[in-house]
Amino acid sequence: MSAPDRAGGPARLSAPARLSAPGQPGGEVPATSLPRADVRLSRLALGVAPLGNLFTPVDDGTAVEVVRRAVRLGVTYLDTAPHYGLGRAEQRLGAAVAALGPDDPTPVISTKAGRLLRPLRPGEPVDPQGFVDVPPLRRVWDLSADGVRRSLTESLARLDLPAVDLLYLHDPDDFETEAVRTALPALLDLRAAGVVRAVGVGMNQPGMLTRLVRAFDLDVVLLAGRYTLLDQSGLAELLPLCARRGVGVVVGGPFNSGLLADPRPGARYDYVAAPPELLARARAMDALCREHGTTVTAAALQFPLGHPAVVSVLAGMRSPAEVAQNVAAFTTPAPAALWTALRAAGLLPPHVPTPTDG
């Protein structure tokens, strides 16, 4: 299970492309290829958990328009999972992809394995886990080889697609033994058989991801919430290791569940109300961003790409207007002086790379 490069020798990531898209600021989102797989990801990606009714409902028509607007603005990497809305996000994403026109770009799609969806037992209440208006289903953990294959088959049925490009193992925090013994070997078998083009692991803690990157020949990892303006814990080991191994890093949760999108009292940090000290820190960042003619949303979206291992930043979006706002924020580079000011104010550690370094 060692992780040599499949072409013979470790692939290394080059420095990331700078944020400016072709043409004027606020233009189309650029893309980059994974070093170890024939998969090209837009540098800003759409997370469709909100389309599974995360926290608040989204109607079917809005879900279609979110995907259409994203794809037409160059946000062509779309990520989903069975967990999101108990299958609703996958169903809506599939319907939205089917509604794209012949002249629209072809999106790259990832989904995840680890949880199967099954009917509720008699008298069993639904466990929404942050999603609203969900179908009467329950999540069943299954990291067996058969469970991984079933998960993909069932996801494709909900998506109404013949294949996805990328398959992640999803949140194996409490199942490391099963991940190592059965789930990841099954993902590698699916890739070897050509069923998917790339495989990885997605979770919100860097420690296990680091161990799995060392042990397996992965193409990509999805690190949620642990390489942001407020939390750079992924920088200690995981990101340098991925850069050396040529494993692409997709950074999810760049807003830490909302605090870095709108740092107001009551804003969420990692899905719960932000503690006062983090709210104060986010508000100080917001003030500095405004002083430098930009927004904390833009800084949060752009910051992860300062590290050469990061290939894409994955943000959840729930309306076409939000898509347009995030694309404009992402493709209009924040001034170099902002990153200097954040360091000088003690809001970013001096050793943390920023998009204007190098």
Side-chain angles (χ1 to χ4, degrees):
M1 293 185 298
S2 62
D5 178 59
R6 293 187 294 280
R12 292 181 179 271
L13 289 165
S14 58
R18 292 304 172 199
L19 288 170
S20 351
Q24 298 301 312
E28 189 172 287
V29 174
T32 193
S33 295
L34 290 175
R36 303 166 69 95
D38 182 23
V39 178
R40 190 163 176 82
L41 304 183
S42 55
R43 301 285 270 166
L44 178 64
L46 175 67
V48 303
L51 306 188
N53 294 345
L54 181 63
F55 302 131
T56 57
V58 172
D59 63 76
D60 292 344
T62 297
V64 169
E65 290 304 316
V66 166
V67 173
R68 180 180 288 126
R69 178 70 65 87
V71 167
R72 290 178 178 176
L73 289 176
V75 182
T76 54
Y77 173 33
L78 316 175
D79 175 72
T80 188
H83 169 60
Y84 304 151
L86 286 160
R88 193 179 298 278
E90 287 185 319
Q91 291 169 336
R92 283 178 165 167
L93 177 57
V97 169
L100 293 173
D103 296 327
D104 289 323
T106 300
V108 169
I109 295 174
S110 61
T111 192
K112 306 183 183 78
R115 299 171 176 93
L116 299 175
L117 304 181
R118 296 294 178 261
L120 294 172
R121 302 182 185 95
E124 181 181 12
V126 69
D127 181 10
Q129 297 187 26
F131 296 89
V132 301
D133 189 24
V134 294
L137 299 170
R138 59 191 173 95
R139 302 168 180 87
V140 177
W141 286 100
D142 191 339
L143 277 73
S144 68
D146 183 63
V148 166
R149 291 189 293 267
R150 285 177 181 269
S151 180
L152 178 58
T153 298
E154 293 169 10
S155 286
L156 294 177
R158 287 187 290 269
L159 289 161
D160 194 22
L161 291 172
V164 292
D165 302 280
L166 200 165
L167 182 63
Y168 293 103
L169 181 62
H170 197 189
D171 292 342
D173 302 69
D174 298 325
F175 305 97
E176 187 166 0
T177 297
E178 293 88 339
V180 169
R181 289 182 178 174
T182 57
L184 283 170
L187 261 67
L188 296 179
D189 287 345
L190 289 169
R191 184 184 65 193
V195 176
V196 295
R197 293 195 288 158
V199 297
V201 183
M203 54 198 311
N204 61 7
Q205 55 118 328
M208 189 188 300
L209 280 178
T210 300
R211 294 191 293 275
L212 296 176
V213 168
R214 288 194 177 113
F216 290 91
D217 177 23
L218 303 178
D219 301 296
V220 62
V221 296
L222 199 173
L223 177 65
R226 304 285 81 89
Y227 195 61
T228 71
L229 288 175
L230 292 172
D231 184 337
Q232 298 95 47
S233 54
L235 184 60
E237 292 186 272
L238 178 63
L239 268 64
L241 174 65
C242 288
R244 293 193 301 271
R245 295 272 179 124
V247 176
V249 177
V250 175
V251 170
F255 303 133
N256 284 116
S257 302
L259 180 58
L260 286 170
D262 183 10
R264 55 177 172 73
R268 292 184 177 92
Y269 177 84
D270 288 357
Y271 303 104
V272 298
E277 63 274 14
L278 281 179
L279 176 61
R281 191 174 184 86
R283 289 173 73 87
M285 288 179 171
D286 182 47
L288 267 181
C289 289
R290 292 177 187 277
E291 287 177 18
H292 287 82
T294 188
T295 65
V296 72
T297 297
L301 288 172
Q302 295 174 29
F303 165 73
L305 291 171
H307 197 285
V310 177
V311 294
S312 187
V313 178
L314 176 70
M317 308 179 211
R318 65 174 60 249
S319 72
E322 194 170 299
V323 172
Q325 290 162 4
N326 283 341
V327 168
F330 182 81
T331 57
T332 307
L338 170 65
W339 308 111
T340 302
L342 288 170
R343 285 170 168 159
L347 296 171
L348 271 184
H351 69 283
V352 172
T354 68
T356 53
D357 293 337

